[in-house]
Amino acid sequence: MRKVTAVTFDLWDTLVREVPGGSDRVASLRTHRIAELLEGIGRPHDVEEVEEAYRKTGTFLDLTWGKSRDMPVRDHVLFMLSCIECRLPGKMTNEDISRVERIYADSLLDHPPVLLPGAKEAVRAASEKGYRLGLISNTGKTPGSTLRTLMGRMGILEQFQVTTFSNEIMVRKPAEAAFRITLEQLKTLPKAAAHVGDHPDHDMAAAKRAGMHAVQVMAHASAPSAEADVRVQSLDGVADALDSLG
């Protein structure tokens, strides 16, 4: 009987990667569409005002994320609208706020990241070997609901029994809670699970602190991790790395 029965994957820079300039294009799409919506509901504000509020929201989020905490995207939007105009959310209907939220959440789908080479094959191979699969991802301004849509379009969502996104559980990697919550849903003990990711701290060290095995994919890693049980150069090596863990 093998030692590892469940595998969790990181998303960004492990399975998918932002295209050059993608973040700027998504930001521009968000701010211009939100400015158009505000104009349409009789609350006009210049694009420049929306862009400044968007930057302030980013600064606020960075402070929150730096504490390994997260929040629903609705809170991003309410903060941003308040930065555009004090009490602006109170002057808008819930339906209009929800429309802003959809723009904010879904704009990534117009300029999506790319699936990394070997990602679909690595996930499918792990599933076919009988591992229970989970995904543990920090989110930025794009929520887990939209990222699931993206993963579905990429053909990888159906392989995962559990998908954990930080905006939904209110904590971010490297917090151990992100791993613990996922493993509880997978009904797996940490010692029987392996995490596959790129980041030396958020993935490798954090997984080891949670009691898991750790496989580092070096293709887009910032640095090798001394904490990793196995390091592979690309996703093509993940299947053999998992086999080596027992």
Side-chain angles (χ1 to χ4, degrees), residues 99-122:
R99 289 169 63 197
V100 174
E101 185 177 354
R102 286 194 295 273
I103 291 170
Y104 187 98
D106 290 345
S107 290
L108 179 83
L109 298 175
D110 288 273
H111 299 287
V114 295
L115 192 66
L116 286 170
K120 187 179 293 187
E121 294 79 6

Side-chain angles (χ1 to χ4, degrees), residues 7 9-17 113-128 131-137 146-163 165 235:
V7 179
F9 284 84
D10 168 53
L11 181 63
W12 293 99
D13 291 331
T14 298
L15 299 178
V16 306
R17 186 169 174 83
V114 295
L115 192 66
L116 286 170
K120 187 179 293 187
E121 294 79 6
V123 172
R124 183 186 300 120
S127 178
E128 289 175 350
Y131 295 109
R132 289 180 58 76
L133 299 188
L135 181 117
I136 308 173
S137 178
T146 303
L147 293 175
R148 288 188 187 93
T149 298
L150 175 72
M151 291 171 65
R153 292 180 181 181
M154 290 176 164
I156 60 173
L157 180 63
E158 63 185 13
Q159 306 293 346
F160 290 94
Q161 282 77 50
V162 175
T163 52
F165 293 98
L235 287 163

Side-chain angles (χ1 to χ4, degrees), residues 73-82 89 97 100-101 104:
V73 163
R74 183 80 166 198
D75 290 353
H76 300 204
V77 168
L78 293 173
F79 182 89
M80 185 184 69
L81 291 172
S82 296
I97 293 173
V100 174
E101 185 177 354
Y104 187 98

Side-chain angles (χ1 to χ4, degrees), residues 27 50-71 75-77 79-80 83 104 140-141 172:
V50 180
E51 289 173 340
E52 178 61 22
Y54 187 80
R55 284 190 289 271
K56 289 179 179 178
T57 302
T59 300
F60 170 65
L61 290 171
D62 285 340
L63 291 171
T64 303
W65 294 339
K67 300 173 184 176
S68 296
R69 298 175 185 169
D70 215 328
M71 64 185 72
D75 290 353
H76 300 204
V77 168
F79 182 89
M80 185 184 69
C83 289
Y104 187 98
K141 295 185 177 74
R172 297 171 67 83

Side-chain angles (χ1 to χ4, degrees), residues 23 46 57 60 80 87 89 95 99 105-106 151 164 174 217 220:
S23 180
D46 295 338
T57 302
F60 170 65
M80 185 184 69
R87 300 192 181 92
E95 180 181 352
R99 289 169 63 197
D106 290 345
M151 291 171 65
T164 301
V217 181
H220 299 288

